[in-house]
Amino acid sequence: FLNCRILLPTVTLKPTKVTMQKGLNVTLVCNTSGMPTPTLNWATCKLNSTYEVILTFISNLRKLRLVNVSSLDNGCKITCRSENMVGEAEASVDLDILFPPVISKLMDAISDHHWCIPFSVSGNPEPKLSWLLNGKPVEEGPFIRTMVHDYSEGEYHGCLHLDSPTHINNGKYTLLASNIYGEDRKAVFAHFMHEPWNGELKSAFFVFDTGPSSVISNDDDSASPLHHVSNGSNTPSSSDMNADAVIIGMTKIPVIENPQYFRSTIVQHIKRHNIVLKRELGEGAFGKVFLAECYNLSTDQEKILVAVKTLKEASENARKDFHREAELLTNLQHEHIVTFYGVCVESDPLIMVFEYMKHGDLNKFLRAHGPDAVLMADGQVQQQAELTQSQMLHIAQQIAAGMVYLASQHFVHRDLATRNCLVGENLLVKIGDFGMSRDVYSTDYYRVGGHTMLPIRWMPPESIMYRKFTTESDVWSLGVVLWEIFTYGKQPWYQLSNNEVIECITQGRVLQRPRTCLKEVYDLMLGCWQREPHTRLNIKEIHNLLLNLAKASPVYLDILG
Ligand code: AMP
């Protein structure tokens, strides 16, 4: 009667988990039951470890002994199968072999979209990976990072990714792989780029000015904004060496005198008694700026509000420069360039008179109309409405229009930034300053010498590396201005120190897309930030694109009440 009983097989495999260091031994025991008595078989992956099947006297018990287990068997599945006439059953265990890291592959850097130094590493537990460049730890971040792409055949395969590396990244890369059982290291040399400047240029960039006499020298010219270039060329040539200087703000800069501009320029002189100061608006490096009433300036109004800029000390040279700048400003007339009315030179201080722009500089304006306005308001100012996308486009379009004009006049601004733009009524924006705001915004500038302050966060690689300023470098700055607008006035690269900014820009990194920015606008920024100056968007194209985008999204001007 008993013999007639039939039972499906059951099977147990012990231990149920095998976690062990490589080189040790382990015995797996498989036990089965069933009627009739099932047969037992082992199935394994292709084992690298030595193994033996141990038969026992008891037919429903089998042992498998692994000797000197190999790390290559990590992850291998071992199965015990039991079968009789009525069915089958099986039990499995995965081998978890612990072993120190082994770097099997570290290859030369390859470039496709990014650069990649490929590696393959094994180890259990998964090794921690880190890198040395020329013996010093590589700090990983968004631009240099280790990425493991897949795990196959017992190995982690990945890359050290480098985003636009330059000569600074050249060198010996050592990969360190470690876990609690040990460490492995391998090195490879990587060469990404030749050093873009020679020692001479490098020292020219970091040289310290010695004193006021050097300010007018050519060495210093690139530190100063608004460079007027002769012959329609935008690139300062060696003939700039003997250039004269003008004061732009406090800074004297060389200017190639173009007879077309200066021969017939008549600067308007305003009588001191016609200027009645009302209050201080701010202080630039140039001197104090006041709100004033100016009488008899226009025929249809008795008095108008103006902004007057004072020149603190006026040596003979400074006076000459002052007049020359006044001529230059007199010749710059455009609806998106702040209007220059004239000078008052009867007595000290010397004064320049500009149209008054009610809402002050654009950077402050953006911050006051952004999400952090409460933080900036010192508790006094009531919160103002946030700028909309269309208002941002409207602002951007106007600055671009001003830049189209400057480029048509062969002027290179060199210091285009929102702090140098002014906001008037009805969201009217003008390029309003040519470098006088350095004290207030001193953190926006990088001091490379006693006097020389460079707005590096707004500068393209060629301006940083070679002090080359052109209409194309102004286009780069315009891209940064767009970024400022769409971030409500954030400082570009606010998270980085000046030295880090220099490194980032020269390595080819660009600012990230602001959260509130349309793809079309960010594409425009990217078009301004092409590394090669001649591949950047043309200022006219930029203006047209912005104009079209602005037209497609009508502006509601009630933000200003
Ligand atoms: P600046 O010396 O040009 O940096 O000017 C100092 C401060 O005066 C800035 O914060 C501006 O907001 C303000 N300012 C300069 N020019 C004008 C202007 N034309 N209209 C109104 N405010 C101005």
Side-chain angles (χ1 to χ4, degrees):
F1 167 70
L2 272 178
N3 281 345
C4 294
R5 273 186 65 192
I6 45 171
L7 287 173
L8 277 169
T10 60
V11 66
T12 56
L13 180 59
K14 283 193 176 149
T16 50
K17 267 179 98 175
V18 177
T19 298
M20 61 188 293
Q21 282 188 48
K22 80 166 207 182
L24 299 181
N25 309 329
V26 65
T27 302
L28 303 176
V29 180
C30 184
N31 210 335
T32 185
S33 65
M35 195 67 78
T37 304
T39 56
L40 273 180
N41 284 303
W42 292 99
T44 71
C45 58
K46 196 168 172 295
L47 278 169
N48 293 280
S49 317
T50 316
Y51 66 95
E52 53 180 336
V53 176
I54 304 166
L55 298 172
T56 61
F57 293 113
I58 312 161
S59 63
N60 61 349
L61 197 74
R62 289 282 187 278
K63 290 182 181 176
L64 183 77
R65 186 171 153 76
L66 299 173
V67 182
N68 187 15
V69 290
S70 160
S71 60
L72 298 173
D73 291 339
N74 182 39
C76 175
K77 191 192 269 300
I78 297 185
T79 306
C80 172
R81 274 204 195 109
S82 126
E83 192 179 348
N84 67 10
M85 60 184 284
V86 280
E88 57 180 45
E90 63 178 46
S92 298
V93 67
D94 290 324
L95 299 183
D96 183 21
I97 314 297
L98 304 168
F99 62 102
V102 179
I103 302 171
S104 63
K105 193 174 89 180
L106 182 64
M107 306 213 309
D108 288 342
I110 46 173
S111 133
D112 121 42
H113 185 48
H114 296 295
W115 280 89
C116 156
I117 300 178
F119 60 78
S120 297
V121 180
S122 59
N124 190 19
E126 181 178 348
K128 277 212 172 70
L129 303 177
S130 60
W131 297 82
L132 303 176
L133 170 56
N134 300 326
K136 292 204 184 97
V138 171
E139 266 192 39
E140 298 201 21
F143 307 115
I144 300 183
R145 61 201 181 283
T146 307
M147 287 178 77
V148 173
H149 304 305
D150 76 315
Y151 177 78
S152 60
E153 292 171 14
E155 287 190 315
Y156 300 91
H157 306 281
C159 274
L160 177 66
H161 276 270
L162 298 107
D163 188 354
S164 313
T166 65
H167 66 284
I168 295 168
N169 304 93
N170 293 347
K172 180 181 167 191
Y173 282 79
T174 307
L175 171 60
L176 306 177
S178 66
N179 66 16
I180 51 168
Y181 297 102
E183 185 191 282
D184 195 13
R185 56 172 71 198
K186 266 203 170 62
V188 68
F189 281 88
H191 181 90
F192 303 103
M193 199 193 265
H194 286 290
E195 189 168 345
W197 57 73
N198 57 32
E200 197 186 313
L201 277 164
K202 202 172 182 179
S203 64
F205 178 60
F206 288 108
V207 80
F208 275 65
D209 287 333
T210 47
S213 60
S214 67
V215 178
I216 325 177
S217 76
N218 185 61
D219 243 17
D220 206 39
D221 69 346
S222 52
S224 313
L226 190 65
H227 192 94
H228 176 207
V229 180
S230 65
N231 309 325
S233 154
N234 287 321
T235 312
S237 66
S238 55
S239 64
D240 290 12
M241 290 290 185
N242 302 318
D244 256 322
V246 295
I247 305 171
I248 295 295
M250 186 182 76
T251 324
K252 299 165 193 169
I253 66 163
V255 160
I256 314 301
E257 198 156 333
N258 181 339
Q260 278 177 352
Y261 282 108
F262 296 107
R263 205 177 284 149
S264 58
T265 302
I266 299 165
V267 176
Q268 177 152 8
H269 285 249
I270 297 163
K271 293 257 182 295
R272 178 126 320 171
H273 67 255
N274 279 332
I275 301 170
V276 180
L277 298 187
K278 287 176 73 79
R279 68 180 163 87
E280 198 179 309
L281 287 173
E283 181 156 11
F286 183 53
K288 280 192 162 52
V289 182
F290 296 94
L291 172 67
E293 284 172 341
C294 194
Y295 288 80
N296 305 319
L297 197 57
S298 76
T299 45
D300 50 344
Q301 276 171 295
E302 188 202 358
K303 61 175 181 182
I304 59 167
L305 284 177
V306 291
V308 303
K309 293 190 174 184
T310 56
L311 174 65
K312 274 184 276 193
E313 40 156 310
S315 66
E316 206 39 54
N317 265 346
R319 271 171 193 278
K320 229 171 111 189
D321 297 339
F322 179 91
H323 283 291
R324 215 181 282 265
E325 190 194 0
E327 288 179 342
L328 187 108
L329 290 166
T330 303
N331 283 297
L332 287 181
Q333 289 182 23
H334 185 263
E335 55 186 321
H336 294 295
I337 303 288
V338 71
T339 309
F340 173 66
Y341 290 129
V343 295
C344 174
V345 290
E346 284 167 26
S347 57
D348 280 341
L350 300 182
I351 287 174
M352 284 189 181
V353 182
F354 294 88
E355 83 179 287
Y356 172 60
M357 300 289 280
K358 189 175 164 191
H359 295 285
D361 81 68
L362 175 60
N363 188 265
K364 253 187 256 155
F365 180 84
L366 291 167
R367 290 174 184 214
H369 292 88
D372 295 333
V374 201
L375 297 178
M376 316 290 299
D378 303 332
Q380 308 155 8
V381 187
Q382 60 186 131
Q383 208 183 340
Q384 313 193 45
E386 270 184 35
L387 285 170
T388 62
Q389 288 282 318
S390 56
Q391 287 166 329
M392 291 174 173
L393 286 168
H394 185 58
I395 293 170
Q397 176 273 119
Q398 297 177 74
I399 299 170
M403 291 310 291
V404 170
Y405 170 74
L406 285 186
S408 75
Q409 302 297 301
H410 306 294
F411 277 95
V412 179
H413 189 293
R414 297 173 176 226
D415 195 11
L416 183 64
T418 57
R419 65 180 169 274
N420 289 331
C421 297
L422 290 162
V423 186
E425 267 172 307
N426 292 327
L427 210 58
L428 176 64
V429 178
K430 300 191 179 193
I431 298 168
D433 198 278
F434 302 98
M436 300 185 191
S437 50
R438 291 185 179 191
D439 276 357
V440 187
Y441 291 97
S442 57
T443 52
D444 286 347
Y445 292 88
Y446 180 64
R447 190 181 288 277
V448 288
H451 289 77
T452 314
M453 304 272 272
L454 295 174
I456 47 153
R457 291 164 197 267
W458 284 259
M459 282 160 57
E462 76 275 8
S463 305
I464 291 178
M465 295 192 294
Y466 307 114
R467 306 179 112 190
K468 193 173 175 213
F469 291 83
T470 59
T471 295
E472 290 77 28
S473 64
D474 274 353
V475 162
W476 178 290
S477 310
L478 181 59
V480 181
V481 165
L482 292 180
W483 187 91
E484 286 186 273
I485 295 170
F486 284 86
T487 55
Y488 298 95
K490 284 214 170 75
Q491 190 192 43
W493 304 110
Y494 56 87
Q495 69 280 36
L496 302 182
S497 70
N498 286 330
N499 282 325
E500 287 168 339
V501 170
I502 291 179
E503 209 169 301
C504 263
I505 298 175
T506 53
Q507 285 187 10
R509 316 211 191 298
V510 294
L511 291 159
Q512 284 183 343
R513 174 176 170 177
R515 258 191 300 135
T516 56
C517 167
L518 294 171
K519 185 184 176 297
E520 288 92 326
V521 179
Y522 189 59
D523 285 345
L524 237 166
M525 293 181 203
L526 295 177
C528 296
W529 300 331
Q530 292 297 304
R531 194 178 176 86
E532 293 293 329
H534 69 270
T535 59
R536 287 175 204 152
L537 287 173
N538 169 284
I539 182 65
K540 277 191 189 147
E541 282 175 83
I542 298 169
H543 179 239
N544 282 335
L545 283 163
L546 285 170
L547 200 60
N548 289 336
L549 286 169
K551 272 186 195 155
S553 111
V555 184
Y556 301 99
L557 297 171
D558 54 341
I559 190 166
L560 299 176

